[in-house]
Amino acid sequence: MRIRVLPFLAVLFAGMAASAVPSLVPPLRAAELITAGGIRFQCSPSLLAQAAQEMDALLDELAIPADLLSKSSSASGTQLSYRLRTPEHDTSTLDLVDRREYALAREAISLPAVRGMRVVNTVSRKEILLALLQHGRLTEMTGGSCSVAALREMIGIRQNVVAWAEHLEWIWPNGGPARWNTKYWKEGTPVSTQPLADAFLDMFLQQQRYTIGCYTATKVVYVHALLDYHRRVNPDAQKLRLLESRLLADGEPLVDVEPAGMWSFEDDFDPAGLSRPGKLLRLHADVAMRNFVPGDWVYLLNTDPVSRRKTGYEGSNAIYLGGGRFDDYYNDHQHAYAYEEKLDEVYQWRHGVFNRRRDAQKRQVLSAPAMARLSESPARGGLVFGFRVVPGDVDLTLPGSTRLPQQLAIGDREN
């Protein structure tokens, strides 16, 4: 929750009623929604032919019938695209689990525990792939990532992110200082006597020894999930070394994990840093508002000028878990929030609802139209930006959009 007052929010704040969602602009018509979507491979014809065969195998492995997809190729033979056979205006992924034709179920995987391993049920690789194939965002597999092997890795990393984010009980600092297990950490910096991966794993095995805010918590999940993926899930010593070297290049593995452009809407943002990439994560711009892929980092902005001055309540960093659910770092809400619950949580801060049990009597019930408005961008009276922060390849290439979301800087562009 590292946000301060934004210049473009001055107009928004000025016209905001205390208990009503602002209505600055009319809702988008369906034709204005982003309709591009799916996965596009772009490389040589020979590599595309191989990708097509391997994609067929992946779809068969995950029990995704071919008649649920549309497949197309460019006249030049250098592009091959896949997307769900859904209407162009259908960009939501929140309800994929409820669509009977997809037959989605959770998937059992193993995670390290204090003693040995434990089996957990988490988001399936099938749901992750279907979300990537839905209208609402375009995922581009280009260059060295123009392969189904790279797509499989993307899916596997996202599944690992979700698995580690689903059952957390860290302690909320509530404006106070962070607290770390001093065996592994010194005020957010890992001690040099312990392996980096062990320091991050300890944060999940001994959660009650850590008091951290949601911004730090989000970065911890991604760093740990990536280290764990390349160390244990799909061991790759070369990628693990490269990953650790990038994290430790400045001695601070929790600094600059995400790209600087994520915060380009802050009033004190330095434009000189706009091009700085994240150590591990990338921006995916031009995403439809209800389009989330499991493993996405989402930012919900508190647009209330009063409550956002309270430390820790400037906004909410969240990870999409699949199944219409978002993470709960502190187990305040039985480990997960539905989308509308997450929107309502951030909105209710303006009414002094900082603990949903203790402050329940202060909550103001929102109408269906008001709740729908919260799903819009801040420029349109909502809370959700039209970008996602996503895991990138260790070599800093990302299958997906790498353009910075300019609407963050100007505040008046809707996707």
Side-chain angles (χ1 to χ4, degrees):
M1 301 184 184
R2 65 184 297 278
I3 307 304
R4 292 172 287 281
V5 176
L6 319 184
F8 79 83
L9 287 177
V11 176
L12 188 104
F13 290 161
M16 186 180 294
S19 62
V21 177
S23 179
L24 301 181
V25 288
L28 288 178
R29 298 187 300 274
E32 293 175 284
L33 292 172
I34 296 174
T35 58
I39 299 171
R40 182 168 67 196
F41 296 91
Q42 182 168 326
C43 48
S44 68
S46 60
L47 289 177
L48 285 186
Q50 180 180 347
Q53 290 183 349
E54 294 177 352
M55 191 68 175
D56 288 343
L58 177 60
L59 295 172
D60 185 62
E61 176 186 330
L62 299 183
I64 300 176
D67 60 4
L68 293 179
L69 307 179
S70 64
K71 175 182 174 181
S72 61
S73 56
S74 64
S76 64
T78 58
Q79 292 184 0
L80 178 63
S81 299
Y82 296 83
R83 65 174 58 90
L84 287 183
R85 200 181 294 275
T86 51
E88 287 190 346
H89 64 271
D90 180 1
T91 59
S92 176
T93 60
L94 294 169
D95 62 346
L96 291 180
V97 71
D98 299 319
R99 304 189 192 192
R100 296 180 61 183
E101 65 268 31
Y102 299 139
L104 287 172
R106 289 169 68 76
E107 188 171 338
I109 67 170
S110 296
L111 293 180
V114 175
R115 293 181 179 85
M117 302 292 289
R118 60 190 173 100
V119 176
V120 300
N121 289 314
T122 191
V123 67
S124 66
R125 291 167 297 150
K126 181 178 181 179
E127 182 177 348
I128 295 171
L129 180 54
L130 288 174
L132 289 167
L133 290 165
Q134 172 66 307
H135 293 87
R137 78 167 73 185
L138 177 63
T139 298
E140 296 184 275
M141 313 295 293
T142 62
S145 294
C146 185
S147 69
V148 174
L151 178 60
R152 284 179 178 272
E153 181 170 288
M154 182 195 303
I155 293 170
I157 289 172
R158 283 179 172 274
Q159 184 182 54
N160 210 41
V161 168
V162 172
W164 283 108
E166 283 195 294
H167 291 89
L168 296 173
E169 295 190 36
W170 287 318
I171 300 172
W172 169 241
N174 199 26
R179 185 170 62 93
W180 305 77
N181 182 354
T182 56
K183 177 181 177 180
Y184 293 95
W185 297 88
K186 182 179 180 181
E187 299 179 353
T189 301
V191 298
S192 59
T193 56
Q194 299 289 347
L196 182 64
D198 289 352
F200 278 95
L201 178 60
D202 184 72
M203 296 190 70
F204 294 83
L205 300 185
Q206 300 195 75
Q207 296 178 29
Q208 291 302 299
R209 303 194 67 170
Y210 294 88
T211 300
I212 54 177
C214 73
Y215 174 52
T216 297
T218 306
K219 294 187 292 183
V220 166
V221 169
Y222 282 102
V223 173
H224 172 64
L226 277 155
L227 287 170
D228 180 60
Y229 182 84
H230 294 298
R231 184 191 197 192
R232 177 187 63 87
V233 179
N234 187 23
D236 188 320
Q238 183 177 4
K239 284 191 174 182
L240 182 62
R241 285 194 300 271
L242 180 57
L243 179 64
E244 291 180 334
S245 69
R246 289 204 59 79
L247 288 168
L248 293 171
D250 56 2
E252 299 290 350
L254 287 175
V255 173
D256 296 337
V257 172
E258 78 284 15
M262 179 179 182
W263 312 110
S264 62
F265 53 85
E266 290 185 335
D267 61 340
D268 60 352
F269 180 78
D270 182 0
L274 191 62
S275 61
R276 178 190 62 73
K279 292 176 179 175
L280 302 184
L281 307 176
R282 293 292 170 271
L283 283 176
H284 196 130
D286 299 326
V287 179
M289 299 312 294
R290 296 178 68 87
N291 184 286
F292 303 94
V293 176
D296 278 353
W297 176 354
V298 186
Y299 192 78
L300 288 79
L301 179 69
N302 180 6
T303 56
D304 175 55
V306 177
S307 61
R308 72 187 324 276
R309 296 195 188 105
K310 182 178 172 65
T311 300
Y313 294 90
E314 303 89 346
S316 181
N317 296 280
I319 295 173
Y320 182 55
L321 304 176
R325 301 159 55 249
F326 292 79
D327 72 286
D328 174 11
Y329 296 119
Y330 313 103
N331 196 20
D332 289 330
H333 202 261
Q334 298 181 326
H335 293 297
Y337 292 87
Y339 185 48
E340 287 73 18
E341 290 171 338
K342 190 65 185 176
L343 292 169
D344 185 70
E345 179 203 23
V346 176
Y347 178 77
Q348 296 297 337
W349 292 342
R350 69 194 60 200
H351 299 302
V353 183
F354 300 112
N355 181 292
R356 294 177 75 82
R357 291 183 292 272
R358 184 192 64 221
D359 302 324
Q361 74 282 0
K362 300 178 183 179
R363 182 176 175 271
Q364 302 294 308
V365 177
L366 288 167
S367 66
M371 179 61 73
R373 178 53 63 96
L374 293 183
S375 188
E376 299 281 2
S377 71
R380 290 183 176 263
L383 308 180
V384 188
F385 286 115
F387 71 92
R388 311 288 181 258
V389 179
V390 303
D393 290 347
V394 177
D395 64 359
L396 298 187
T397 62
L398 171 68
S401 172
T402 57
R403 292 191 299 109
L404 292 174
Q406 295 299 320
Q407 70 270 27
L408 299 187
I410 61 177
D412 62 357
R413 179 172 177 268
E414 179 59 66
N415 61 352

